[in-house]
Structure formats: structure tokens, C-alpha cells
Amino acid sequence: MSDPQPRQGRSGGRSARQAIRSAPDFGMLPALKRNLPLCEPMDPDQIARIDDASMSILEEVGVVFRDDIALADWRRVGADVRGDRVHLDRALVRELIASIPASWAYRARNPVQSLPFGGAHSIFVPMTGAPFLRDLDDVRRWPTMADLNMFHKLAHMSPALHSTAHHIVEPMDLKVSHRHLHITYSSMKYSDKTFMGMTTSGKNAEDVMDMCEILFGADVMEQTPVVTGNCNGNSPLVWDETMLSAMRAFCKRNQPVLCSPFVLGGANTPASVAASVAQLNAEALSALAYTQVVRKGCPAIYGHYLSTVSMKSGAPMAGTPEISLMNFMIGQMARFYGVPWRTSNTLGGAKTFDAQAGYESATTLSAVLHAGANYIWHSAGWNEAGMHCSVAKFVVDAEQCAMGYRMAEGVRWDDFDEALKAVRDVGPGGHYLGHPHTLENFQQAYFMPKLFDNNSIEQWQAGGSVEITARALGYARKLLGEYQEPKLDAGINEALLDYIARREREIPAEDALNTEY
């Protein structure tokens, strides 16, 4: 029989509550179910104008598909193919995109981390593709595979990040031809959330599909998405063989791709918000339609990458009002066609984690939430126009996503009547700090950021005058110190390592993408 425990007095109860509040909680938030009104600047007539303009571009200008297989596929379904330019009748486009699912569930390695997707549901996904990082000492340098492992761990421990993405940073210590294998393994090993799959070539995408089959099984992949790919278009109006071959690899295995025109407003689109959206919409529709030529009914996501170009320098800009407007409009168009859509989140051009980085990212975060985006990519770490991923910004962005998540959930009414009773209890001139309702509800009533300092300047100075970058880096170190790996099944882990070893023997170790082996 165990010894009787001493009865806790009032201070013990308060201490217990404080211990619960201070205990780390790294559990992933459910997929965001948005309850805010959408920002929709176009009326039905304007939506129809964009749709008609886009369809006219597809019919009269056409889209270049630099891929013999895609051209043969288009001929097979009756498209007007002239050389490598495909002219698409609007009726054919509408017929094809009608078979894209409006929503689905993402299956994660840990079923608890699986996610509803589409409609009112949104997920946050970290940035990818950075050739540099700002590390735990805030030093800008080339990344290694160990750095990518670190970011996957941080993503795993960030509650508002629903995915670990794939190559958050580019592992420069590995040969290019082998990187995709180790990137995929890192996504699978260091987190049990959903992830992205490399689409750097058709062969690389097929390897990702094979590794997903080892992890999930072919039957599961036939039933539901387990991974997401991204295929970028070459605006204006070009899709190339690399992206199209990767797109086919994903679609054939019933896995979704983001069909993403790459917009540099004013450089590869007209110097006009509405006309840029019309062109982008045509580009996205052509790729979405092609996914259904490859496999009718396979999931696909209306994608884009948006930036505007400085006419002073030619550099891409982020956080501008036009980008927000285009996000609002693209959201309306995706909903008009009944397909889920992707956007980019905390983008910025700042060279360090400074005020510019914060302003740019916060502007875009608010816009994409009010636009109703489903797949909210580049949600953590992005800086310097994507040239580096900052560890400090990564963890602060992740917390910003948690704050945006709370805002987008909308107003909670579940304790309204109970809270009104407290008004009668406290009365004029009192305070609510010690009221039972406050003690019971304050944690969920108001978001309390871990990484912002709201103390007085005297308290801040007494604590060492620590600014946000140093505070965030200290928090990142703390997270990494507390990280616990969600272990892969031993048999699956061995099979994945065997697959990587075999493919490394088959693929020459070169600093070039594998398109042949």
C-alpha cells in the first residue's frame, strides 16, 4: 500500500496549476478550421472577368509544355497541340478540373497527426529551398544535412506547424544526385507529421514515392494522400519536363502536387494586379487540368508563388499590398473552381531578423489567413528572399502561426454565460485576477507569447536586455535539448536505409540532378 499523500492546501493547488502552465507542450494543433469571414474583393462579375480572360489565354495564346509525354497526353484527350504549345478549350479545362477532390485527409506516420484538408481547413508548412541558413549562433553559412535534421526537429516540436516540409535548407555536404534520398529520410525519421516530397526530377519523385510506399504501404497511398509535391511553372505560360515528369510520378500514385506558377509581378506577368491574376490563373488551370489527364480523380492543389518586382533593382519584394490583393483574388478563384489552394506565408527580403522581417511576414500572415488559403507554405524561417532560413525567425514564425491560428478560429462563445457571472461577482471597482473563472480560463482566453517580451524596461534590463534574436535562439536550443525522436518501426527503418543504399549504388554521385537512373 502506498504512503498517503499530504493534502494540498490552497498554495499547493496554485503551485500545481503553475507547474501545469509552465510544462512544455509540443503536441501539434489540429488542422486549423477557419471561422473568420473571408476577404473577397471581387464581385461575381469580376470573378467571371478573370475566368473568361484566363480561358481566353488558354484558348488563344496557349501554354508551352516542354515535354513529349505531356504533349502526347494532351493529343490523346483532344487538345489543340501546335508544336510544343497546347491550346486548351475552356470546356475541356472545366471538364478536367471538375474531377479534382475539394478536400481529403492527409495520413501522417502517427495517425494522431493526420489532418483534414481543404474547404475551411488550413495547415501551416515551413519554408523550403534555402541555400544558406542563419544558425544557432546567427551566423550565415552553407547548410549541412545535420542542419536539415535540426530544422525537422524544430518543426516537429512546433505545435502550429502541421508538416516538416522537405529540404527546409539545402544539405550542401551531400552530392546533388543523392540529396533527395536523405532529405526524404530526414522528414520521415525526425518527425511523425506529414511532409513534402522532392520533385527535382521525375526519377527523384519516383524514389520519394517508393520510400513512401515503404513507410505507409501501397494500399494506404491508393486510399489517401501521405505526402505533397510541388511543381513550379516557368511564368509566363511554360511548364517544363522536369516538373511535368515529377507531377506524373505523384499523380500516378494518387499523391497531390501544388501546381504553382512562379510569379514575379511586373517581370514575368503584366504590371497589373488583375491581369497578373488572370495569367497566373490560366497557368495554374493548365497544370491542374493536366493532373487529371494523368489520373482522373487524383488530388491536386491550386498553387502559386507570389512576389512583385522592384523596378529600381529588379529584386523580388514581399509584404506589399499588391501581394495581399492577389492572395485575396486567387482564393476567390480557387473557391470558384472548387479546388483547394496553396499560398506562401511569412516571406520577406530582410537580410537579418530585423523589424523589416517582422513587418513583411506579419503583413502576409494576416493576408493569407483572411484569404482562406488551405496549404500555407513557407510559414517559418524565410528571410533574404528565401536565400536563407533563420533559426531565430523559424521559431518566432512558428509562434506567430500559432497566434494567427488562434485569431482565425474566431470568437469562442462556450464560456460566455459563465464569464458574465463573474461581472456580477466582481462588481464596480474590483478586479478579476483572483476570480475562479479567470484562474480556470485565462490560458485559453488570451494567447501569451513565449518569445515576445512584455515586461517593463526595468525588468528587461535586469534580465540582461535580451532582444528577440537572442531570445529566439535560446528557445531553439532549449527545444532541441528537449527533443525526443518519434522512433520509426525498426523493420521500416531498415527497409528505408536499404533502399537508400541501393539507390546510391545505382545513381552516380554527381553534383547534378538524377534524370536518368
Side-chain angles (χ1 to χ4, degrees):
M1 182 174 175
S2 59
D3 294 332
Q5 296 299 310
R7 188 176 173 184
Q8 287 188 327
R10 186 168 177 175
S11 62
R14 190 159 51 241
S15 298
R17 287 193 297 270
Q18 186 175 9
I20 292 170
R21 290 196 299 269
S22 61
D25 181 6
F26 305 122
M28 188 183 79
L29 292 169
L32 169 61
K33 187 172 183 182
R34 303 182 314 277
N35 285 303
L36 283 184
L38 296 171
C39 185
E40 297 189 318
M42 293 191 292
D43 63 30
D45 288 342
Q46 291 166 331
I47 292 173
R49 280 186 78 182
I50 295 291
D51 174 64
D52 181 65
S54 299
M55 294 299 182
S56 296
I57 290 169
L58 293 174
E59 290 173 333
E60 298 164 15
V61 180
V63 177
V64 168
F65 281 76
R66 292 179 179 153
D67 177 71
D68 289 340
I69 296 174
L71 293 172
D73 287 339
W74 279 123
R75 290 189 191 97
R76 174 171 53 82
V77 297
D80 178 8
V81 180
R82 310 173 198 173
D84 62 1
R85 191 177 297 200
V86 180
H87 295 257
L88 294 170
D89 179 79
R90 64 186 65 198
L92 176 62
V93 173
R94 294 193 200 284
E95 177 188 347
L96 289 168
I97 65 173
S99 58
I100 297 173
S103 62
W104 56 80
Y106 273 108
R107 169 74 177 269
R109 171 158 72 90
N110 178 357
V112 174
Q113 314 277 44
S114 296
L115 297 160
F117 178 78
H121 288 103
S122 300
I123 63 174
F124 293 105
V125 183
M127 79 157 291
T128 63
F132 295 91
L133 86 156
R134 280 193 174 271
D135 63 17
L136 285 162
D137 296 312
D138 202 32
V139 174
R140 185 183 185 274
R141 59 173 174 82
W142 275 7
T144 64
M145 194 66 217
D147 295 316
L148 178 59
N149 299 158
M150 172 192 68
F151 279 116
H152 284 157
K153 293 173 184 178
L154 290 174
H156 178 69
M157 299 184 75
S158 299
L161 296 182
H162 297 102
S163 166
T164 55
H166 44 31
H167 66 318
I168 295 172
V169 292
E170 195 71 37
M172 298 294 193
D173 53 338
L174 298 181
K175 290 292 185 183
V176 172
S177 60
H178 292 167
R179 282 180 193 170
H180 66 288
L181 300 166
H182 296 275
I183 291 166
T184 304
Y185 180 67
S186 180
S187 298
M188 293 175 168
K189 175 180 172 65
Y190 293 107
S191 179
D192 54 12
K193 297 180 180 182
T194 190
F195 56 93
M196 297 183 73
M198 298 294 289
T199 52
T200 40
S201 74
K203 294 294 185 183
N204 289 357
E206 289 170 8
D207 284 339
V208 172
M209 293 296 98
D210 288 345
M211 293 178 72
C212 286
E213 182 174 334
I214 292 170
L215 181 60
F216 293 101
D219 291 345
V220 170
M221 293 175 69
E222 279 295 305
Q223 294 165 8
T224 190
V226 301
V227 66
T228 310
N230 178 62
C231 294
N232 284 324
N234 297 327
S235 299
L237 300 166
V238 175
W239 292 94
D240 66 28
E241 181 181 7
T242 299
M243 293 288 94
L244 292 167
S245 60
M247 185 182 293
R248 284 191 293 272
F250 272 68
C251 292
K252 287 176 180 177
R253 303 294 289 274
N254 202 39
Q255 300 305 304
V257 289
L258 312 170
C259 299
S260 303
F262 196 91
V263 171
L264 301 168
N268 62 8
T269 68
S272 158
V273 166
S276 291
V277 171
Q279 178 191 303
L280 176 158
N281 190 52
E283 293 166 336
L285 288 173
S286 67
L288 289 166
Y290 184 62
T291 66
Q292 302 308 293
V293 173
V294 176
R295 177 171 173 164
K296 185 175 181 178
C298 72
I301 300 171
Y302 184 134
H304 65 76
Y305 171 82
L306 287 179
S307 68
T308 51
V309 169
S310 168
M311 295 304 169
K312 295 178 182 178
S313 65
M317 300 184 294
T320 62
E322 293 76 19
I323 292 173
S324 295
L325 288 170
M326 285 192 276
N327 268 308
F328 299 148
M329 295 170 72
I330 292 162
Q332 286 187 266
M333 297 312 299
R335 287 186 289 275
F336 175 74
Y337 299 118
V339 294
W341 68 287
R342 160 252 161 145
T343 189
S344 301
N345 191 3
T346 56
L347 305 186
K351 313 308 174 284
T352 62
F353 185 26
D354 59 8
Q356 177 184 331
Y359 286 133
E360 289 172 327
S361 296
T363 297
T364 308
L365 171 61
S366 179
V368 300
L369 288 172
H370 285 92
N374 301 111
Y375 198 95
I376 307 177
W377 195 9
H378 301 313
S379 285
W382 182 288
N383 225 7
E384 196 189 339
M387 288 298 291
H388 82 252
C389 183
S390 159
V391 173
K393 189 171 184 290
F394 191 96
V395 295
V396 175
D397 284 346
E399 185 171 76
Q400 285 285 291
C401 289
M403 294 173 72
Y405 181 108
R406 175 64 197 94
M407 178 189 74
E409 283 183 307
V411 177
R412 295 170 179 159
W413 292 88
D414 54 320
D415 68 334
F416 181 66
D417 293 333
E418 184 184 351
L420 283 179
K421 292 177 184 176
V423 178
R424 289 166 171 76
D425 292 342
V426 172
H431 70 78
Y432 293 82
L433 295 176
H435 191 278
H437 178 268
T438 303
L439 296 175
E440 191 68 30
N441 291 280
F442 77 93
Q443 273 192 292
Q444 57 264 34
Y446 302 114
F447 193 101
M448 292 182 288
K450 294 184 177 73
L451 296 174
F452 288 178
D453 188 303
N454 297 297
N455 292 326
S456 69
I457 190 167
E458 291 82 9
Q459 291 171 308
W460 179 71
Q461 289 170 335
S465 304
V466 180
E467 296 197 8
I468 185 67
T469 298
R471 192 158 56 247
L473 291 173
Y475 181 69
R477 287 191 179 92
K478 179 177 182 291
L479 287 179
L480 294 168
E482 295 174 354
Y483 170 79
Q484 294 182 0
E485 183 180 322
K487 294 291 186 180
L488 280 163
D489 173 85
I492 289 174
N493 188 51
E494 183 179 359
L496 287 168
L497 294 174
D498 287 346
Y499 182 87
I500 292 169
R502 175 172 66 80
R503 292 297 285 146
E504 285 189 321
R505 292 191 298 269
E506 295 169 348
I507 303 170
E510 299 174 338
D511 280 325
L513 294 172
N514 174 42
T515 60
E516 186 176 350
Y517 298 93

